[in-house]
Amino acid sequence: MSKTTNQKLKLLYLARLFQSETDEQHRLTAQELILKLDQTYNIELERKTLYSDIDELKHYGMDIINEKDGRSTKYYLASRDFELAELKLLVDSVQSSRFITEQKSAQLIKKLEGLVSRYDATQLHRQVILTGRVKTLNETIYYSVDKIHNAINNNKQIRFQYFQWNEKKAAVLRHNGAWYEISPWALVYDDENYYLLAYDSSKDTIKHYRVDKMLNLDISDKAREGKDRYESIDLPSYSKGLFGMYGGEITDVSLLCKNDKAGILIDRFGTDIPLIPVDSEHFRTHIQISSSDQFLGWIFALGDGIKILSPQSLIDKIKAKAAETAKLYE
């Protein structure tokens, strides 16, 4: 590209230089800016024109500061849309999210690095090295979430196949590869995973699905169903009562708890749950939960700190689980 042609783009390239090459600790003189424009973008610029262009960028809204440094004047971009501390939080979120693959995490973080100078970008990169987490292997989840949002916004059903991992670490389609056709209503983020709440017309019920277990997801031409079913759910309570988003019959449960377990219950179910004093060491509470094995495992883990008082069916179930576990170690 000729230097004459590049003149039409000089303001854009000058703005890019300020974005990538300057910050409060890294400032450039007018001569250095002119040299970089020439060497990097093949643009020849006179000093007088540079001053005029910088004024135009300031008028556009770029926070370009010029300061005296001895006998020279140096320029830098003082502020950006995102502060470095804010971008560090975003990088941490992207890197630690299990539902985003390693490859997609790297791509997103690279884009975030472009929002600061190349010098500050190294700090973001240094954080990436420090945060290693288990990530999903399903590269399509990033696009599945987007399609689900589009289906919800356009009031459409979706169809997909569902898989699970076998003992050989291979992804095996469930129900022999049958297609799931459901009406999506909401996405829930729980236990570091994305779940879809959807209406299954064949069972006339609301179900939830792990988004990273979905394959070949597509939007259907059919309108969504199950609005009344979905709107009848108290979503916050529903989410709190699902342990690891494993399904089960929603059950009213009464618990006897030691006082030092109050914080655990409030962390899990919120401050709205009743804490009724029983004696100086215990209180009673009532919650709604999904009576899954994961809930029973949660009760087991709390030892003698929490006891199920009702319903009797759940008491019988946890007794049977305890007996099965004890037999396993005989």
Side-chain angles (χ1 to χ4, degrees), residues 38-267:
D38 186 21
Q39 293 179 341
T40 309
Y41 301 114
N42 200 30
I43 294 174
E44 290 183 350
L45 199 64
E46 294 180 359
R47 188 180 292 264
K48 184 178 179 180
T49 306
L50 175 67
Y51 296 149
S52 176
D53 288 342
I54 290 175
D55 286 339
E56 288 291 338
L57 292 178
K58 286 182 179 180
H59 182 70
Y60 173 69
M62 294 186 70
D63 187 17
I64 298 172
I65 302 296
N66 54 285
E67 293 179 347
K68 282 289 186 181
D69 185 5
R71 299 179 62 181
S72 301
T73 299
K74 292 190 174 181
Y75 300 82
Y76 67 95
L77 185 61
S79 62
R80 293 169 167 80
D81 291 338
F82 290 92
E83 297 178 9
L84 182 60
E86 294 171 332
L87 289 172
K88 286 181 178 180
L89 288 176
L90 293 175
V91 167
D92 280 346
S93 298
V94 170
Q95 187 66 16
S96 62
S97 294
R98 293 180 60 180
F99 68 87
I100 306 178
T101 64
E102 290 285 359
Q103 180 178 345
K104 183 55 66 176
S105 293
Q107 292 173 358
L108 290 173
I109 291 167
K110 186 67 176 177
K111 293 177 181 179
L112 291 174
E113 290 175 357
L115 298 176
V116 293
S117 71
R118 63 185 177 92
Y119 308 100
D120 283 343
T122 61
Q123 295 189 47
L124 299 180
H125 181 65
R126 187 154 59 243
Q127 276 201 303
V128 176
I129 296 172
L130 292 173
T131 53
R133 307 287 170 84
V134 176
K135 308 283 279 183
T136 182
L137 298 177
N138 186 357
E139 184 68 29
T140 64
I141 184 174
Y142 189 78
Y143 306 101
S144 295
V145 169
D146 187 51
K147 284 185 177 180
I148 290 169
H149 277 302
N150 286 336
I152 291 172
N153 291 336
N154 292 294
N155 198 39
K156 296 296 184 181
Q157 295 185 28
I158 61 171
R159 65 195 304 267
F160 57 90
Q161 292 173 298
Y162 212 50
F163 78 88
Q164 62 188 6
W165 298 107
N166 66 12
E167 73 282 359
K168 297 179 181 179
K169 299 182 181 180
V172 179
L173 292 177
R174 300 187 65 175
H175 303 306
N176 296 317
W179 288 88
Y180 292 65
E181 296 191 42
I182 49 91
S183 299
W185 285 101
L187 283 166
V188 177
Y189 188 67
D190 180 82
D191 194 26
E192 298 191 76
N193 287 299
Y194 255 128
Y195 294 86
L196 170 65
L197 295 186
Y199 174 73
D200 181 353
S201 60
S202 66
K203 299 289 195 304
D204 188 28
T205 188
I206 296 293
K207 293 184 178 180
H208 50 267
Y209 305 86
R210 275 264 299 265
V211 178
D212 63 315
K213 302 296 185 187
M214 298 177 177
L215 291 177
N216 304 316
L217 187 148
D218 205 0
I219 300 175
S220 168
D221 291 330
K222 299 177 183 177
R224 284 189 303 173
E225 301 172 330
K227 182 178 179 180
D228 292 341
R229 279 285 192 180
Y230 173 70
E231 291 182 344
S232 68
I233 293 175
D234 180 356
L235 193 55
S237 298
Y238 180 85
S239 299
K240 291 173 187 174
L242 292 172
F243 281 74
M245 295 301 289
Y246 283 90
E249 183 182 353
I250 300 300
T251 307
D252 292 310
V253 179
S254 179
L255 302 173
L256 178 67
C257 314
K258 288 186 176 180
N259 288 342
D260 62 357
K261 297 299 184 288
I264 292 174
L265 286 161
I266 290 172
D267 286 344

Side-chain angles (χ1 to χ4, degrees), residues 288-307:
Q288 271 197 337
I289 56 90
S290 169
S291 57
S292 61
D293 288 347
Q294 284 63 37
F295 169 70
L296 298 181
W298 183 73
I299 294 291
F300 270 124
L302 294 171
D304 63 353
I306 293 184
K307 178 183 177 180

